[in-house]
Amino acid sequence: MIVGYDDNADLQELLLHLFRIVGEESPTMRLLRYCHQNVVLCSMQELKDPTTGVMANLMTKDIRTPEGWRFAISLADQCQVWHVRREQSVDLWNNTDDHFEVEWEVRITFVKERWEPSVASLRITKLETAETMSEHRETELRSTIVGDLIIA
C-alpha cells in the first residue's frame, strides 16, 4: 500500500502522484503508458475490422478470469511491453457445440536509448475449440485466424 492512499484511492490521482515522483518523460513512465486498456482496444479493432480483420465475422466476448487480460514488461535484451487477451465465442441460444476460445497478443518493442516504440506486432497465439465442434468448422477457424502475423 502506498502511504497516503487508502483502498478506495482514485487510480488517476495515484498515477498523477507517480508522474510527479519519477517524471512524466522518464523511461519508467514511457513504458507504463503502454500498460493501458487502450492498447488492447485498438488491437481488437484491428482484429474485428469489417473489411480486413481476421476476426471480423466472429462474435466473441470477454473471458472474465485472470487469464482474460494479462500484460507484462520485459527489460531483457529487448525492452518490450505485451498484452495477452483471451476471448470466447458468443454461443447463441446456449448451444456450445461450436464454442471456441481465442488468445491473441500485441507486443510493443522499444528502442532503449530513446525509450520510444520501434515495432508493434499483433498475432493470434492460441485457438481452443469444443470437442463437439465439427471438423469442417474447426479447420475453417484455424485457417482463418491462427498462425500469421497480423500487423508488424
Side-chain angles (χ1 to χ4, degrees):
M1 183 172 187
I2 295 177
V3 176
Y5 291 93
D6 61 16
D7 289 339
N8 297 318
D10 182 20
L11 183 58
Q12 186 173 1
E13 187 65 32
L14 179 63
L15 289 174
L16 289 173
H17 186 68
L18 184 60
F19 279 148
R20 287 191 292 273
I21 292 172
V22 299
E24 212 170 312
E25 294 303 317
S26 69
T28 301
M29 293 314 298
R30 286 177 181 241
L31 292 178
L32 288 178
R33 284 188 190 124
Y34 292 88
C35 299
H36 193 276
Q37 187 176 7
N38 282 347
V39 173
V40 171
L41 295 175
C42 290
S43 302
M44 190 180 307
Q45 183 176 356
E46 184 73 27
L47 290 169
K48 293 193 174 195
D49 182 274
T51 55
T52 60
V54 296
M55 291 176 56
N57 297 320
L58 301 176
M59 291 178 42
T60 60
K61 62 182 180 179
D62 297 348
I63 290 183
R64 303 244 178 214
T65 67
E67 286 76 37
W69 176 34
R70 304 178 311 276
F71 70 90
I73 298 174
S74 171
L75 300 174
D77 296 332
Q78 291 184 324
C79 180
Q80 294 183 327
V81 173
W82 68 93
H83 297 259
V84 177
R85 172 81 174 193
R86 193 167 177 91
E87 296 184 17
Q88 62 184 326
S89 58
V90 175
D91 302 320
L92 301 176
W93 302 285
N94 292 325
N95 181 354
T96 59
D97 289 349
D98 285 341
H99 182 81
F100 65 89
E101 293 184 4
V102 62
E103 188 172 277
W104 51 270
E105 170 188 283
V106 60
R107 189 175 292 250
I108 304 158
T109 304
F110 293 80
V111 176
K112 276 191 177 179
E113 297 77 33
R114 296 188 312 269
W115 294 97
E116 295 174 355
S118 62
V119 176
S121 63
L122 173 60
R123 72 175 65 229
I124 306 282
T125 56
K126 189 183 293 183
L127 175 66
E128 295 176 359
T129 60
E131 290 181 11
T132 53
M133 182 178 283
S134 72
E135 188 175 323
H136 173 74
R137 178 65 174 145
E138 184 174 353
T139 301
E140 179 183 59
L141 279 173
R142 289 197 185 283
S143 66
T144 303
I145 67 172
V146 176
D148 295 320
L149 183 65
I150 297 164
I151 62 167

